[in-house]
C-alpha cells in the first residue's frame, strides 16, 4: 500500500508528503530514528526521591512533576507541570536530547543537541531546580555529541533481598548487603563519565569548593566515519574500574576497561578529606572487538520467526537500546551473573502483503563477558615463583540466543540489582523479564516463595500507546508520554483477584512482596509515595495491619526501647520514621478529615520524633555551632516549646477522659480498648509504647533544662537586653501550664516500672516483648499482658496527680492546634489557620509556602521570604529538606487562599489543589 499522497495530482505540486501508516502511534517512526542515532536519547526520567523530569513538547525546555496527595480527600495524582526555566536558559534555547538522574536522585544531567552538558540540583523542593554546572562550560561541536554517560555512585552499602521463603507459617526475609565496587569520587562529590561520538572519554567532576573540572582522553584513533560511535554504555566492574562498551557505525562492539586515577596526596591530616595534587587521569585498556552484521543470525530476512508468512521481507536491524549490566547478585542457589551486553534492535517490514502495514518489532541480542584463566607451562613457573605460578586472563564475548518480540520496544530498564528487566512497547503493554533467561516473570501459584511484586500478581493493564515511559522508584506507577507529549499515569493493580480475603493463599504472598519491596525501598533511600498511591486503592484495614506487621519483620527492626538510654537511636532512625510515615498515611483522607486511631498514633510519634531532634540539635551543637542562648535562636524555639507543653497536657487530659469512660472496669482490657477506639485517642499508647514514651521523657528533660537555663540567664548581669527579653518570653510560655515537668516525668517513670514488672511476672522473653511492642505500635491498643500497669495508671497514678493539678484548667485548655482531637473546635482551627509544621507557629496570610507531597503539611519557604527563624537550627538544611513525615516538599506558586480549592489540568493530569489548614 502506497503510504504517500501525490500532491501534484491534488494541487499541482510535485512534492510528496509521507503519511503515518495506520496502526503506528504518532511520532513513533521519528522516535525510532532518534534512538537509532544515539545512545543518549532519554527524554523522561523518574528519580529515586520522586521527581519526574521530561523534555517538553518543543524540545527546548524541561518539565518537572511529582506525585502528590490531595489535601482535599487524600487521593493521589500527578502534580501539575513546573517548567525548569534555569535549564532552558543555560542551554540558550538549544534542543535538549537527553536527561538522567544521578544515583541518589537529587542531581540531574541534561544534554543538548550540540553535546553541551549541564548539571542541576534540587534545592529544598522537588520542583526547584538550580543549575550548578552551566552548559556554557562546553563548546558546541557535533563530533562531541554525547552517545553514552554514567554517574559515578556513592560508596554506600545497599541491601539486596533474596527471595523470601515461607516456613513455619510465615515468610523469612533474607537481606544481603551489597558492597559497591566503585569507582567513587574521593571526596564524595558528584562525577559523571561521558562518551562522545568521536570516541572521546570525558570525566566531569566537582571539587570541594564546588568548582567543576574536566579531563578527557581518546578511546581509539578515528580513521574513518565507520569508526564513529552511535551508542555507548558503562557499568561498574570489579576492582573499582568501569566497563565501557561502544557500538560503532560499522556495527562493531568494542569493550574497554577504564580505570580512574585520582592522584591523591599521601600527606593528608588525620580525618581530613583527600586532596588531589594533580588532575585525575584515565587508564584505558581495550579488551575485545566483535563485529555485528546488519542481520544478526536470528534476524535473517528470509526467516519466518513468528510462523506468519506476512512477516517476511524485513529491513536491516537498527539499534535502539544498548546497555551493559554488571555482575548481579546470585538468585537462589545459582552462580552470580556475569557482565552482559543487551542490544535491542528494531525491524520494519519492507513489503507488507495484502495491503496491510505491519508495525515495527524488536529483537534482543545478548553477549556475556567471560574471563578464562590459562595456565602456562611448568617451565615458566620459575620466572614468577613469588607470585605462586603464572596465569593469564583472557576475556571473550559469548553470544547468547536472541529473543524476538512481536512489538517494538520503546523503553528498556533494569530493576532489582539488574536481575529483572522491564520492557515497555509502543502499544502500551509492559513486560517484566528475567535478566538471565529473558523469560517473562510469571505469577507463582504455589505461594511459597516471593521474589518480586510482579511474581505475586501485581501488574499493569490498559496502558495506551506511548513513545516514552518511566517506572516509579518502587515500580508501582508507570508514567508515559505519547506523540503529543501528553503525560499519563498508570497505577499497578493486583491482578489475581481481590486482596480482601485474608484466607486466600495468595494474600500472604502479596503482603510479603509489598513488605519486601518497602524494606528494599528503605535500604536504597527510595521515595515510596508510589507505594502509598498503590495502597490507596485497597481500602482494606486487614491488609494494612498485616502489611505493617510484615514490614517490621522484613526490616528486622528492634522497636523495644525499654531500658535503652541512648535516645538518639529513636530520633535518628530514618527507617523507623519511614514506618511511622506509611502507617500515618494509610487512613489520611484530607486535612479536614479526622484520622483513625492507628494513623493518628503514628502521626503523633512523628511529631515527637521531630521535636526531639530539634532539641538534640539545639542543645548538642558542636563547638562553633549554633548557640541556643542567642535571642533569635530562643525565639525560633517558642513554637516547639509550646507544642511540647501542650502534648503533655493533651496526654494527661485524654488519660483522664479514658479513666472516666472505664471507671470501675479498669481491669477489663477489652472494654479499655473499645473505649480507646471510640475516643479515637492515642494518648495511652503514647505512654504505653516504649518508643514514644522514651521520646516524651526526653522532651520533659529538655524542657526542664531550658527552664533552668532561662532562670540562670535572667539573673546574670552579663546577659544582653535582647537575651533577657527572649528568656523572659520563654519563661512566660513555660509557665503557662499547671502540670509540671516533674509530674509528667514521674507519671511515665512509674508506668515504665509497672510495665517491666508485668513482663517479668509473665516470664515474657525479649522476643515476645518485642512482639507486644509491635502490636501496640500498629494498633495503638493495649495487650492483655499489660493490663495491670494500665489499671494502676488509670486509677492510682491519675488520682494522685489530680490532687496536685487544676483539672478545670486542663479540661478547658485549647489544644485544638495539635491536630490530635476530633471536636468541632479542632476542625474549625484546621480550616481557619495555617500552621508551620516544623516551627509550630501560625503563618501570616501571604507567607511563601512549601507543601509536603504526602501529608499536605506546609512550612514557610525561606528561599523566597524572610523569616525570624533564618540562621537557626530550625532553618538548617537537615531539618528543612524534608517534612517530618519524611516526604519532600514542593513549591506551589499558585497556592490559593485559606479554604479555597481549585482544579487545574496540565498535560492531561488533574490535581485538586486544596490549601493546608
Amino acid at each position: 500500500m502506497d503510504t504517500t499522497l501525490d500532491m501534484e495530482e491534488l494541487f499541482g505540486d510535485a512534492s510528496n508528503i509521507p503519511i503515518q501508516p495506520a496502526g503506528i502511534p504518532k511520532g513513533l517512526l521519528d522516535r525510532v530514528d532518534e534512538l537509532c542515532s544515539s545512545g543518549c536519547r532519554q527524554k523522561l526520567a523518574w528519580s529515586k526521591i520522586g521527581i519526574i523530569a521530561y523534555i517538553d513538547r518543543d524540545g527546548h525546555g524541561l518539565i518537572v512533576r511529582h506525585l502528590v496527595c490531595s489535601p482535599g480527600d487524600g487521593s493521589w495524582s500527578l502534580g501539575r507541570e513546573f517548567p525548569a526555566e534555569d535549564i532552558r536558559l543555560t542551554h540558550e534555547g538549544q534542543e535538549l536530547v537527553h536527561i538522567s538522574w544521578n544515583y541518589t536522585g537529587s542531581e540531574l544531567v541534561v544534554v543538548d543537541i550540540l553535546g553541551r552538558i549541564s548539571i542541576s540540583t534540587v534545592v529544598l523542593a522537588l520542583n526547584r531546580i538550580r543549575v550548578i554546572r552551566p552548559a556554557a562550560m562546553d563548546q558546541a561541536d557535533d563530533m562531541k555529541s554525547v552517545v553514552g554517560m554514567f554517574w559515578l555512585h556513592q560508596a554506600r552499602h545497599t541491601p539486596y533481598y533474596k527471595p523470601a521463603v515461607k516456613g513455619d507459617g510465615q515468610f523469612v526475609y533474607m537481606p544481603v548487603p551489597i558492597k559497591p565496587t566503585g569507582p567513587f569520587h574521593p571526596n564524595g562529590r558528584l562525577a559523571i563519565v561521558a562518551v562522545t561520538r568521536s570516541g572521546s572519554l570525558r570525566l566531569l567532576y566537582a571539587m570541594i569548593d564546588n568548582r567543576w573540572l574536566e579531563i578527557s582522553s581518546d578511546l581509539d584513533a578515528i580513521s574513518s566515519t565507520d569508526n564513529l560511535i552511535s551508542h555507548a554504555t558503562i557499568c561498574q566492574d570489579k576492582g573499582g574500574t568501569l566497563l565501557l562498551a561502544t557500538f560503532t557505525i560499522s556495527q562493531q562492539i568494542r569493550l574497554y576497561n577504564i580505570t580512574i586515577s585520582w592522584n591523591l596526596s599521601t600527606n593528608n591530616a588525620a580525618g581530613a578529606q583527600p586532596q588531589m595534587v594533580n588532575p585525575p587521569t584515565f587508564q584505558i585498556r581495550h579488551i575485545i572487538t566483535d563485529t555485528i552484521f546488519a542481520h544478526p543470525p536470528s534476524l535473517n530476512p528470509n526467516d519466518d520467526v513468528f510462523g506468519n508468512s506476512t512477516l517476511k521481507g524485513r529491513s536491516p536491524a537498527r539499534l535502539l537500546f544498548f546497555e551493559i549490566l554488571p555482575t548481579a547478585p546470585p538468585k537462589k542457589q545459582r552462580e552470580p551473573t556475569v557482565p552482559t551486553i543487551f542490544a535491542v534492535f528494531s525491524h520494519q517490514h519492507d513489503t507488507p502483503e495484502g495491503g496491510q502495514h505491519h508495525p515495527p518489532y524488536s529483537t534482543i541480542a545478548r553477549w556475556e563477558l567471560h574471563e578464562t584463566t590459562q595456565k602456562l607451562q611448568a617451565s615458566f613457573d620459575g620466572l614468577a615463583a613469588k607470585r605462586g605460578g603464572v596465569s593469564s586472563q583472557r576475556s571473550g564475548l559469548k553470544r547468547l540466543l536472541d529473543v524476538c518480540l512481536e512489538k517494538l520496544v520503546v523503553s528498556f530498564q533494569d530493576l532489582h540489582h539488574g536481575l529483572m528487566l522491564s520492557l515497555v512497547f509502543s502499544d502500551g503493554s509492559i513486560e517484566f523479564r528475567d535478566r538471565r533467561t529473558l523469560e517473562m516473570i510469571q505469577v507463582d501459584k504455589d505461594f511459597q516463595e516471593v521474589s518480586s511484586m510482579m511474581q505475586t500478581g501485581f501488574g499493569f493493564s490498559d496502558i495506551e500507546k506511548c513513545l516514552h515511559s518511566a517506572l516509579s522508584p518502587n515500580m508501582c506507577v508507570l508514567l508515559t508520554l505519547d506523540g503529543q507529549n501528553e503525560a499519563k499515569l498508570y497505577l499497578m493493580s493486583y491482578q489475581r483477584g481481590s486482596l480482601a480475603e485474608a484466607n486466600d493463599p495468595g494474600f500472604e504472598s502479596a503482603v510479603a512482596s509489598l513488605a519486601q519491596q518497602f524494606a528494599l525501598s528503605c535500604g536504597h533511600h527510595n521515595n515510596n509515595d508510589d507505594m502509598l498511591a498503590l495502597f490507596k486503592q485497597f481500602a482494606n484495614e486487614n491488609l494494612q495491619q498485616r502489611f505493617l506487621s510484615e514490614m517490621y519483620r522484613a526490616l528486622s527492626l528492634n522497636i523495644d526501647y525499654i531500658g535503652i538510654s541512648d535516645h538518639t537511636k529513636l530520633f535518628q532512625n530514618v527507617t523507623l520514621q519511614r514506618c511511622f510515615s506509611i502507617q500515618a498515611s494509610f487512613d489520611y483522607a484530607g486535612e479536614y478529615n479526622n484520622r483513625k486511631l492507628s494513623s493518628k498514633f503514628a502521626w503523633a510519634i512523628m511529631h515527637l520524633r521531630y521535636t526531639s531532634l530539634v532539641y538534640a540539635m539545639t542543645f548538642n551543637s558542636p563547638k562553633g555551632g549554633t548557640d541556643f542562648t542567642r535571642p533569635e535562636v530562643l525565639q525560633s524555639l517558642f513554637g516547639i516549646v509550646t507544642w511540647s507543653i501542650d502534648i503533655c497536657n493533651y496526654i494527661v487530659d485524654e488519660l483522664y477522659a479514658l479513666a472516666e469512660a472505664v471507671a470501675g472496669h479498669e481491669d477489663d482490657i477489652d472494654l479499655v480498648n473499645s473505649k480507646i477506639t471510640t475516643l479515637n485517642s492515642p494518648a495511652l499508647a503514647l505512654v504505653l509504647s516504649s518508643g514514644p514514651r522514651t521520646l516524651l521523657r526526653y522532651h520533659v528533660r529538655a524542657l526542664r533544662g531550658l527552664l533552668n537555663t532561662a532562670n540562670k540567664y535572667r539573673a546574670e548581669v552579663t546577659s544582653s537586653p535582647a537575651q533577657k527579653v527572649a528568656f523572659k518570653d520563654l519563661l512566660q510560655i513555660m509557665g503557662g501550664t499547671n502540670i509540671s515537668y516533674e509530674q509528667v516525668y514521674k507519671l511515665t517513670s512509674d508506668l515504665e516500672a509497672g510495665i517491666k514488672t508485668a513482663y517479668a511476672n509473665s516470664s515474657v522473653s525479649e522476643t515476645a516483648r518485642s512482639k507486644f511492642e509491635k502490636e501496640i505500635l500498629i494498633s495503638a491498643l493495649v495487650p492483655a499482658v499489660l493490663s495491670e500497669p494500665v489499671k494502676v495508671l488509670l486509677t492510682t497514678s491519675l488520682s494522685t496527680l489530680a490532687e496536685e493539678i487544676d483539672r478545670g484548667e486542663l479540661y478547658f485548655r485549647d489544644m485544638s492546634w495539635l491536630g490530635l482531637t476530633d471536636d468541632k473546635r479542632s476542625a474549625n482551627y484546621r480550616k481557619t489557620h495555617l500552621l508551620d509544621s516544623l516551627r509550630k507557629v501560625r503563618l501570616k496570610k501571604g507567607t511563601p509556602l512549601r507543601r509536603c507531597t504526602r501529608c499536605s503539611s506546609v512550612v514557610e519557604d525561606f528561599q523566597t521570604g524572610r523569616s525570624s527563624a533564618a540562621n537557626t537550627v530550625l532553618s538548617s538544611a537537615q531539618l528543612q529538606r524534608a517534612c517530618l513525615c519524611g516526604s519532600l516538599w514542593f513549591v506551589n506558586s499558585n497556592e490559593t487562599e485559606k479554604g479555597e480549592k481549585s482544579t487545574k489540568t496540565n498535560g492531561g493530569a488533574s490535581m485538586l489543589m486544596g490549601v493546608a489548614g
Side-chain angles (χ1 to χ4, degrees):
M1 180 179 179
D2 191 359
T3 59
T4 62
L5 287 178
D6 193 329
M7 302 310 292
E8 183 178 15
E9 197 174 286
L10 291 176
F11 304 106
D13 189 345
S15 62
N16 291 332
I17 300 177
I19 297 178
Q20 187 85 5
I24 296 181
K26 182 178 180 180
L28 178 61
L29 299 183
D30 290 337
R31 177 59 179 160
V32 170
D33 290 340
E34 286 180 349
L35 292 172
C36 293
S37 66
S38 171
C40 278
R41 287 297 184 268
Q42 179 173 270
K43 297 189 176 183
L44 168 64
W46 202 324
S47 81
K48 287 177 60 174
I49 63 173
I51 312 175
I52 301 165
Y54 57 87
I55 298 172
D56 63 17
R57 185 174 181 179
D58 69 10
H60 301 279
L62 188 79
I63 300 297
V64 175
R65 303 178 82 167
H66 51 82
L67 293 179
V68 65
C69 184
S70 166
D73 60 6
S75 62
W76 285 88
S77 61
L78 181 62
R80 72 181 186 87
E81 296 179 348
F82 293 92
E85 293 298 336
D86 286 355
I87 292 179
R88 180 186 286 269
L89 291 174
T90 192
H91 285 274
E92 303 171 323
Q94 291 294 330
E95 180 184 356
L96 308 181
V97 296
H98 181 77
I99 59 175
S100 175
W101 292 100
N102 70 333
Y103 182 72
T104 60
S106 56
E107 278 76 33
L108 179 72
V109 62
V110 179
V111 183
D112 63 28
I113 194 69
L114 301 177
R116 301 183 305 170
I117 298 174
S118 72
I119 298 176
S120 304
T121 189
V122 179
V123 183
L124 291 182
L126 292 174
N127 55 347
R128 180 180 282 141
I129 307 293
R130 184 182 68 195
V131 175
I132 56 176
R133 184 193 186 275
M137 294 184 68
D138 296 332
Q139 294 183 349
D141 187 345
D142 288 341
M143 295 301 291
K144 289 186 178 180
S145 61
V146 180
V147 296
M149 58 173 33
F150 178 80
W151 283 97
L152 295 194
H153 293 183
Q154 291 188 344
R156 177 188 298 167
H157 287 69
T158 55
Y160 155 70
Y161 274 78
K162 293 182 178 180
V165 179
K166 194 171 185 179
D168 296 328
Q170 61 183 11
F171 281 94
V172 178
Y173 302 95
M174 296 176 283
V176 179
I178 301 296
K179 183 179 180 181
T181 60
F184 313 111
H185 191 299
N187 303 129
R189 299 281 173 158
L190 300 172
I192 192 168
V193 177
V195 182
T196 69
R197 187 173 300 277
S198 61
S200 178
L201 188 64
R202 302 172 62 188
L203 174 65
L204 286 62
Y205 60 98
M207 299 293 288
I208 297 178
D209 57 6
N210 295 323
R211 289 181 301 126
W212 279 89
L213 302 179
E214 177 183 349
I215 64 166
S216 63
S217 181
D218 291 334
L219 295 173
D220 288 306
I222 302 297
S223 57
S224 69
T225 57
D226 286 345
N227 293 327
L228 295 177
I229 299 172
S230 67
H231 297 70
T233 176
I234 305 171
C235 74
Q236 293 176 311
D237 196 20
K238 60 184 180 181
T241 62
L242 296 173
L243 276 178
L244 164 63
T246 64
F247 189 85
T248 66
I249 301 298
S250 60
Q251 300 192 350
Q252 280 188 337
I253 290 180
R254 296 180 179 178
L255 200 60
Y256 305 86
N257 180 269
I258 309 296
T259 301
I260 302 175
S261 298
W262 294 99
N263 299 323
L264 303 176
S265 171
T266 58
N267 299 320
N268 294 315
Q273 289 194 341
Q275 299 293 322
M276 298 184 197
V277 293
N278 290 304
T281 55
F282 283 124
Q283 284 80 49
I284 302 172
R285 180 172 66 91
H286 179 261
I287 299 176
I288 197 170
T289 297
D290 199 359
T291 301
I292 307 301
F293 300 98
H295 293 282
S298 64
L299 304 180
N300 188 299
N302 294 318
D303 289 346
D304 186 3
V305 179
F306 305 116
N308 187 336
S309 60
T310 62
L311 298 183
K312 293 182 179 179
R314 282 160 282 171
S315 63
R318 303 178 67 194
L319 182 63
L320 294 176
F321 299 98
F322 190 62
E323 299 287 343
I324 184 169
L325 300 185
T327 299
K331 187 176 181 181
K332 297 184 181 179
Q333 303 301 320
R334 303 180 191 172
E335 292 295 324
T337 61
V338 296
T340 307
I341 297 173
F342 291 83
V344 182
F345 293 93
S346 73
H347 311 272
Q348 178 67 51
H349 305 285
D350 295 330
T351 56
E353 299 179 11
Q356 181 181 2
H357 189 93
H358 294 279
Y361 60 96
S362 300
T363 300
I364 303 179
R366 297 168 293 163
W367 294 262
E368 290 183 343
L369 177 63
H370 289 271
E371 289 188 349
T372 58
T373 302
Q374 289 187 330
K375 188 75 175 180
L376 299 183
Q377 293 183 1
S379 57
F380 290 93
D381 288 347
L383 298 176
K386 293 182 180 181
R387 296 171 58 186
V390 179
S391 63
S392 64
Q393 298 287 337
R394 297 190 62 185
S395 301
L397 288 177
K398 177 185 177 183
R399 179 69 175 271
L400 304 180
L401 291 177
D402 299 339
V403 176
C404 298
L405 308 169
E406 299 186 52
K407 297 171 288 188
L408 183 70
V409 177
V410 295
S411 175
F412 180 93
Q413 185 177 352
D414 67 287
L415 311 166
H416 278 303
H417 282 284
L419 288 171
M420 183 189 300
L421 305 175
S422 73
L423 305 175
V424 179
F425 301 92
S426 59
D427 65 352
S429 58
I430 181 171
E431 294 177 355
F432 297 95
R433 292 177 175 259
D434 183 87
R435 175 243 180 93
R436 297 172 183 266
T437 64
L438 281 186
E439 294 178 352
M440 290 182 60
I441 304 296
Q442 302 292 337
V443 177
D444 186 3
K445 296 183 179 180
D446 62 10
F447 310 114
Q448 300 300 308
E449 184 179 283
V450 169
S451 58
S452 68
M453 292 172 59
M454 285 65 72
Q455 178 247 346
T456 61
F458 290 93
F460 295 94
S461 59
D462 302 324
I463 304 172
E464 297 181 16
K465 296 177 180 179
C466 63
L467 302 183
H468 312 268
S469 70
L471 282 167
S472 59
N474 298 291
M475 303 167 289
C476 298
V477 180
L478 178 71
L479 184 76
T480 66
L481 296 176
D482 62 14
Q484 299 292 335
N485 220 53
E486 183 177 346
K488 295 182 180 179
L489 205 65
Y490 300 92
L491 192 62
M492 182 179 273
S493 61
Y494 187 64
Q495 300 178 344
R496 282 198 64 257
S498 172
L499 283 175
E501 298 294 333
N503 295 326
D504 185 335
F507 178 87
E508 289 187 9
S509 62
V511 171
S513 69
L514 291 167
Q516 184 168 266
Q517 181 57 48
F518 179 80
L520 194 67
S521 170
C522 293
H524 287 258
H525 303 280
N526 290 352
N527 175 276
N528 48 39
D529 284 349
D530 57 334
M531 293 198 73
L532 288 172
L534 173 66
F535 271 109
K536 200 68 178 181
Q537 65 183 311
F538 307 119
N540 184 336
E541 185 174 350
N542 183 51
L543 172 65
Q544 295 172 359
Q545 297 292 309
R546 291 287 293 273
F547 167 79
L548 293 174
S549 180
E550 287 297 300
M551 171 186 72
Y552 285 111
R553 291 188 60 249
L555 288 165
S556 299
L557 277 179
N558 176 26
I559 50 180
D560 181 4
Y561 288 92
I562 294 179
I564 294 180
S565 58
D566 187 3
H567 306 97
T568 60
K569 291 183 178 181
L570 261 170
F571 48 76
Q572 292 183 355
N573 191 330
V574 179
T575 301
L576 199 57
Q577 177 199 29
R578 283 172 167 258
C579 296
F580 296 146
S581 181
I582 201 167
Q583 179 173 334
S585 300
F586 273 158
D587 294 317
Y588 178 67
E591 57 190 353
Y592 300 148
N593 297 307
N594 298 324
R595 295 175 182 269
K596 293 183 180 179
L597 180 60
S598 177
S599 173
K600 187 185 292 187
F601 179 40
W603 180 246
I605 296 175
M606 287 193 295
H607 281 270
L608 277 171
R609 175 193 174 274
Y610 166 76
T611 47
S612 298
L613 185 60
V614 172
Y615 287 134
M617 293 179 63
T618 301
F619 303 142
N620 301 321
S621 178
K623 188 175 181 180
T626 302
D627 179 7
F628 78 90
T629 64
R630 284 167 31 205
E632 63 272 21
V633 177
L634 288 171
Q635 291 168 358
S636 72
L637 291 175
F638 287 173
I640 298 292
V641 171
T642 303
W643 188 91
S644 297
I645 293 172
D646 276 358
I647 193 67
C648 292
N649 281 268
Y650 162 81
I651 290 173
V652 174
D653 185 45
E654 291 290 302
L655 288 177
Y656 277 117
L658 177 62
E660 292 173 358
V662 299
H665 304 280
E666 292 87 357
D667 55 353
D668 186 346
I669 287 301
D670 290 337
L671 177 63
V672 171
N673 285 331
S674 175
K675 293 300 181 180
I676 289 174
T677 304
T678 302
L679 294 171
N680 198 25
S681 171
L684 180 57
L686 286 171
V687 294
L688 197 64
S689 175
S690 61
R693 183 177 64 249
T694 301
L695 293 175
L696 189 64
R697 296 174 68 187
Y698 181 81
H699 271 243
V700 172
R701 285 199 294 271
L703 291 173
R704 190 166 52 192
L706 261 179
L707 183 63
N708 294 335
T709 303
N711 287 322
K712 172 186 175 183
Y713 270 81
R714 280 203 67 198
E716 286 189 359
V717 180
T718 56
S719 301
S720 68
Q723 200 173 41
K724 288 186 176 182
V725 171
F727 275 116
K728 178 183 177 181
D729 293 340
L730 179 62
L731 284 172
Q732 186 175 357
I733 293 172
M734 300 186 74
T737 175
N738 71 85
I739 299 179
S740 69
Y741 312 124
E742 286 75 13
Q743 290 168 332
V744 177
Y745 194 86
K746 184 178 186 306
L747 190 73
T748 54
S749 297
D750 290 347
L751 178 60
E752 179 161 311
I755 291 173
K756 290 180 179 178
T757 301
Y759 281 140
N761 292 341
S762 301
S763 301
V764 174
S765 65
E766 288 190 9
T767 302
R769 192 175 73 185
S770 180
K771 182 180 179 181
F772 290 132
E773 287 289 331
K774 183 174 72 171
E775 289 178 4
I776 302 173
L777 273 182
I778 293 173
S779 67
L781 299 177
V782 184
V785 69
L786 298 182
S787 60
E788 183 60 28
V790 169
K791 177 183 177 181
V792 173
L793 171 67
L794 297 179
T795 54
T796 306
S797 299
L798 289 182
S799 296
T800 302
L801 182 62
E803 298 175 358
E804 304 171 1
I805 64 173
D806 183 353
R807 285 286 309 281
E809 192 278 339
L810 181 64
Y811 179 80
F812 288 106
R813 188 182 185 91
D814 182 11
M815 292 174 283
S816 58
W817 73 293
L818 295 176
L820 298 174
T821 46
D822 301 339
D823 55 6
K824 292 182 179 179
R825 189 177 190 179
S826 301
N828 182 64
Y829 186 93
R830 292 196 294 266
K831 293 179 180 178
T832 57
H833 296 85
L834 204 61
L835 185 71
D836 188 308
S837 64
L838 297 186
R839 292 190 292 134
K840 313 299 183 189
V841 296
R842 287 168 56 178
L843 297 173
K844 297 178 181 179
K845 182 179 178 180
T847 302
L849 303 175
R850 295 195 305 270
R851 180 182 287 280
C852 176
T853 62
R854 180 178 302 177
C855 70
S856 304
S857 297
V858 295
V859 293
E860 180 179 356
D861 183 21
F862 295 143
Q863 287 285 329
T864 56
R866 294 184 177 273
S867 169
S868 59
N871 302 317
T872 67
V873 168
L874 283 165
S875 66
S876 66
Q878 181 177 350
L879 294 180
Q880 285 288 326
R881 65 187 174 191
C883 178
L884 56 88
C885 76
S887 195
L888 300 181
W889 309 105
F890 70 98
V891 178
N892 183 16
S893 57
N894 292 333
E895 190 88 40
T896 57
E897 295 300 328
K898 171 59 67 179
E900 295 180 0
K901 295 178 183 178
S902 63
T903 301
K904 298 182 180 295
T905 301
N906 292 287
S910 298
M911 183 182 73
L912 185 64
M913 298 298 291
V915 182

